[in-house]
Amino acid sequence: MNEEIGEGLAQGVFDAVVVWEESELLAFHRRLAAEVKSGLGVYCVQPAIRGVPFEAVYRDGVLSEASALSSQADRRNVLGSLKTILTVPLKVERESLYGKAPKKMVVGGVVYLERKALKVLNADRERQGDPLYPDARSAGAELFLAGEARHSARVPFNVFFSLIRVPDDGASLPSFLYDRLLQLQGWGFRVNRPCMRLCRSIEEVLGACAEIREKRSELPYDIMGVLIQPDLVVPDGWKEEGSGDAGRVLIYALGPEPGSARPG
């Protein structure tokens, strides 16, 4: 297994396991089969976008805290930067057609730059004689993780959400991850609906991975691989980072695109 600092921090899933081989993916599936007695075999699959992972806390529907990880131990306050991104809701209506939002919830996601945006940013830096960013992750690390709104407000960052956690306060959420992501979308959070797939077997997961690999060059953003999350959600409860679903989320690394070097 080849796991890098930061590469397991994908889309708000801070303790995802990174694997490179299909055999490791199958071993992951077998391990879950031994741990979970029901609901196994259904996975939510989507591209694992190369960007800056974060968690945001909403209290009474208002965005009140946000932190990002640049490594397994380095957590930074990025509330000011996150508020500058137009696709991030600053307030969620607690009562709506999409159901009642929890009084307190943590949502996770990834902040990223599209490839076109990175080209525009580098063209501007070249005109000013500044060093170019080698990739969107490097740009995000310098501009977004600085935690200063004045930096990120002038950069066209975007965001996808892929995680929600709630305290055990009686809040009612769907029992399955895919349905929870659709619930998030209903509340105004941006999820990667066009590329999200619900796979009902490990064979469908492998097929989805192959499809994402084939079409990755057509995506408007860089990806590190495929984010694979079991659709079964553990019973709700306020879980701190590193507990609960730790080890139950996978990034199947696809390796570098032509012309780029595989990280090591």
Side-chain angles (χ1 to χ4, degrees):
M1 183 181 297
N2 184 334
E3 186 167 359
E4 304 168 335
I5 295 297
E7 290 289 60
L9 313 176
Q11 299 179 207
V13 184
F14 290 150
D15 37 17
V17 175
V18 180
V19 302
W20 291 90
E21 306 295 337
E22 183 177 305
S23 60
E24 294 175 300
L25 171 55
L26 295 174
F28 167 83
H29 173 70
R30 289 192 296 270
R31 178 173 63 80
L32 249 60
E35 294 177 0
V36 183
K37 303 302 181 183
S38 62
L40 182 70
V42 182
Y43 295 90
C44 183
V45 176
Q46 58 183 302
I49 299 173
R50 191 180 295 277
V52 180
F54 71 92
E55 282 189 342
V57 179
Y58 285 77
R59 291 186 173 89
D60 293 316
V62 178
L63 175 60
S64 56
E65 298 176 27
S67 58
L69 295 186
S70 57
S71 72
Q72 293 286 0
D74 186 12
R75 181 183 286 270
R76 303 190 189 185
N77 178 7
V78 293
L79 181 61
S81 295
L82 196 65
K83 283 183 173 181
T84 67
I85 301 176
L86 298 179
T87 48
V88 173
L90 301 182
K91 186 175 182 180
V92 178
E93 294 297 331
R94 291 205 60 209
E95 299 283 353
S96 73
L97 294 175
Y98 301 99
K100 184 177 180 179
K103 183 177 178 64
K104 180 180 179 181
M105 63 178 173
V106 171
V107 293
V110 61
V111 170
Y112 68 94
L113 273 175
E114 293 192 353
R115 290 169 172 168
K116 288 183 179 180
L118 180 62
K119 288 182 180 179
V120 171
L121 182 62
N122 271 337
D124 183 58
R125 291 179 66 83
E126 186 174 26
R127 284 193 295 270
Q128 297 180 30
D130 295 330
L132 305 186
Y133 292 116
D135 51 45
R137 191 186 192 92
S138 301
E142 179 171 324
L143 299 174
F144 182 76
L145 284 176
E148 298 184 28
R150 64 187 178 87
H151 289 311
S152 56
R154 57 188 174 86
V155 180
F157 285 117
N158 213 332
V159 64
F160 278 127
F161 292 87
S162 60
L163 176 73
I164 176 172
R165 296 186 289 123
V166 299
D168 188 11
D169 63 357
S172 178
L173 290 174
S175 299
F176 298 98
L177 174 66
Y178 189 85
D179 293 334
R180 288 191 176 195
L181 295 180
L182 297 184
Q183 178 81 80
L184 276 177
Q185 185 180 44
W187 286 328
F189 294 92
R190 188 169 183 255
V191 302
N192 199 355
R193 186 72 179 274
C195 294
M196 237 166 55
R197 285 188 56 180
L198 189 62
C199 298
R200 301 189 180 277
S201 69
I202 191 63
E203 290 78 19
E204 287 189 16
V205 171
L206 293 173
C209 291
E211 182 179 346
I212 291 172
R213 182 196 298 274
E214 181 181 350
K215 296 182 177 180
R216 68 186 299 188
S217 63
E218 302 172 14
L219 296 173
Y221 40 74
D222 291 331
I223 67 172
M224 66 182 80
V226 183
L227 180 66
I228 301 171
Q229 298 167 277
D231 194 44
L232 182 66
V233 176
V234 298
D236 281 329
W238 192 248
K239 303 177 184 65
E240 298 299 330
E241 178 195 338
S243 66
D245 285 331
R248 291 189 174 182
V249 178
L250 193 77
I251 298 171
Y252 181 34
L254 298 181
E257 291 188 71
S260 62
R262 169 173 165 166

